[in-house]
Amino acid sequence: MRRVRFTEHQIIAVLKPVEAGRTVKDVCGETGISEASYYNWKAKFDGMEASELMKITGLVDENRRLKQMFAALSFENRALKI
C-alpha cells in the first residue's frame, strides 16, 4: 500500500471544504484519504490558518535550535568544571 504524505498547507486545504458545508465522505473520496485520516487531521489542525501554521512551525524550529544551544553550553560547562 502506498503512503501519501501531505504538507500542512495541503491538509488545511482539505479541511476547508468541509467547513464550508461539503460532506466528509465526498472530500475524502476526492483527495484519496480515509475518513480516519481526516478526523485525525481535524483534531490537530482544526481552525488553523496558513499564517498560524507558519508561526507554529517557526516556533518549533526556534525551540529546537534553543535546545541544541542549551545542550552545547551545558556540555561546555560540565567540561570546564572537571
Side-chain angles (χ1 to χ4, degrees), residues 6-13 15-16 19 37-49 52-53 56-57:
F6 290 89
T7 64
E8 288 89 359
H9 296 288
Q10 290 172 329
I11 292 171
I12 290 174
L15 296 176
K16 291 293 180 188
E19 291 176 6
S37 294
Y38 171 81
Y39 288 113
N40 286 335
W41 292 350
K42 184 177 178 183
K44 187 173 182 182
F45 297 106
D46 191 31
M48 279 192 198
E49 297 293 327
E52 293 171 344
L53 185 63
I56 290 173
T57 304

Side-chain angles (χ1 to χ4, degrees), residues 1-2 4 17 19 22 24-26 28 33 39 42-44 47 50-54 59 61 65 67 74 76 81:
M1 187 161 84
R2 176 180 100 175
V4 179
E19 291 176 6
R22 294 191 56 203
V24 174
K25 190 172 188 175
D26 290 339
C28 291
I33 62 170
Y39 288 113
K42 184 177 178 183
K44 187 173 182 182
S51 61
E52 293 171 344
L53 185 63
M54 290 176 61
L59 290 173
D61 289 340
R65 189 175 46 81
K67 284 181 180 181
S74 177
E76 284 181 27
K81 286 184 179 179

